[in-house]
Amino acid sequence: MIELNNVRGSAIDELVAWLDDHPVMTTAQLLQYDEASENAYVSLVGEYDDDTEPVLNVLLRNRCFPTVPATVADGREHWSVIVPTNEAVSQAHDELRNLGSITVDSLGAPELDGLLTGLIDIKQAVQRLSPRQREILARAIDRGYYDSPRACSIETLAETDSANASTVGNHLRRSEAKILEAVFPLLTDAGPTTGDATTDEYVSSRT
């Protein structure tokens, strides 16, 4: 599922049709459109003829744990990860170079007390989820919605639920927003550093 911003109501149907006709897309479906904010949520199902190993696999193999989901801007993926050692950073960097162009935007050492506080905030954010939000989020994780590539879609999750795809998508977005709000300070509190560090923040992007 993707979120599209600043889309005029008169253009949304044409845009969804264009996505649906894209060579790698099987289906594109408009889930929700907010006229006031001009934001649209669209579900995409596609098949990629690509043998390249996913970036996430390389990161996890080298003990690089994403702090937030990857974002895409200007044709590049942006990852923020926490890594235990400088050696793991170097190994992951070398392996990612085999996939494509890569740059390290910043490398720093998070303050450990702040990291512990952040983890507590994340736990509290999870506890603040409504029972319904927690149920759908747990099912999405269990069914592989957050795997790379995804093992299921919003529509697949909705088929096992009494709600429609739009409602399931809304529950997931609200759950993600609460958790990511708790994660955000971990990304902004860590400043750049030099030398060795026991815990590194590794931010990379690739085409």
Side-chain angles (χ1 to χ4, degrees):
M1 183 175 61
I2 61 173
E3 179 181 352
L4 306 175
N5 307 117
N6 302 318
V7 182
R8 297 188 308 275
S10 59
I12 187 62
D13 289 340
E14 181 181 355
L15 178 56
V16 173
W18 178 82
L19 290 169
D20 187 61
D21 193 47
H22 193 280
V24 301
M25 292 302 160
T26 304
T27 59
Q29 179 182 0
L30 178 64
L31 299 178
Q32 180 179 335
Y33 180 71
D34 186 336
E35 293 184 1
S37 62
E38 294 189 328
N39 285 358
Y41 297 95
V42 178
S43 173
L44 300 176
V45 178
E47 296 182 2
Y48 293 85
D49 183 15
D50 190 352
D51 295 329
T52 303
E53 183 178 16
V55 170
L56 182 61
N57 289 10
V58 176
L59 294 175
L60 295 180
R61 183 169 63 245
N62 289 284
R63 297 178 299 158
C64 303
F65 303 102
T67 56
V68 293
T71 60
V72 179
D74 299 325
R76 298 182 69 86
E77 297 177 11
H78 297 261
W79 294 81
S80 178
V81 298
I82 293 180
V83 189
T85 64
N86 288 337
E87 290 74 14
V89 172
S90 298
Q91 181 64 33
H93 184 272
D94 290 343
E95 293 188 23
L96 288 171
R97 289 180 63 186
N98 294 327
L99 303 183
S101 169
I102 176 173
T103 59
V104 178
D105 298 329
S106 67
L107 182 63
E111 195 272 315
L112 295 183
D113 289 340
L115 180 61
L116 179 59
T117 301
L119 293 176
I120 293 174
D121 290 341
I122 294 172
K123 181 178 179 180
Q124 292 175 343
V126 173
Q127 293 173 339
R128 286 195 296 269
L129 298 179
S130 70
R132 187 76 171 118
Q133 290 171 344
R134 192 176 306 176
E135 174 193 355
I136 292 179
L137 181 60
R139 184 184 303 129
I141 295 172
D142 181 64
R143 298 294 178 88
Y145 178 74
Y146 294 102
D147 290 356
S148 179
R150 281 182 173 164
C152 71
S153 64
I154 291 287
E155 289 78 13
T156 303
L157 292 174
E159 289 175 358
T160 62
D161 195 278
S162 58
N164 57 34
S166 177
T167 301
V168 170
N170 280 332
H171 281 305
L172 283 181
R173 286 192 299 276
R174 290 170 182 167
S175 302
E176 293 164 357
K178 290 179 181 179
I179 295 173
L180 290 177
E181 184 177 355
V183 170
F184 181 71
L186 295 179
L187 306 179
T188 57
D189 289 344
T193 188
T194 57
D196 293 335
T198 56
T199 305
D200 293 322
E201 182 181 13
Y202 177 59
V203 185
S204 66
S205 59
R206 81 173 185 102
T207 54

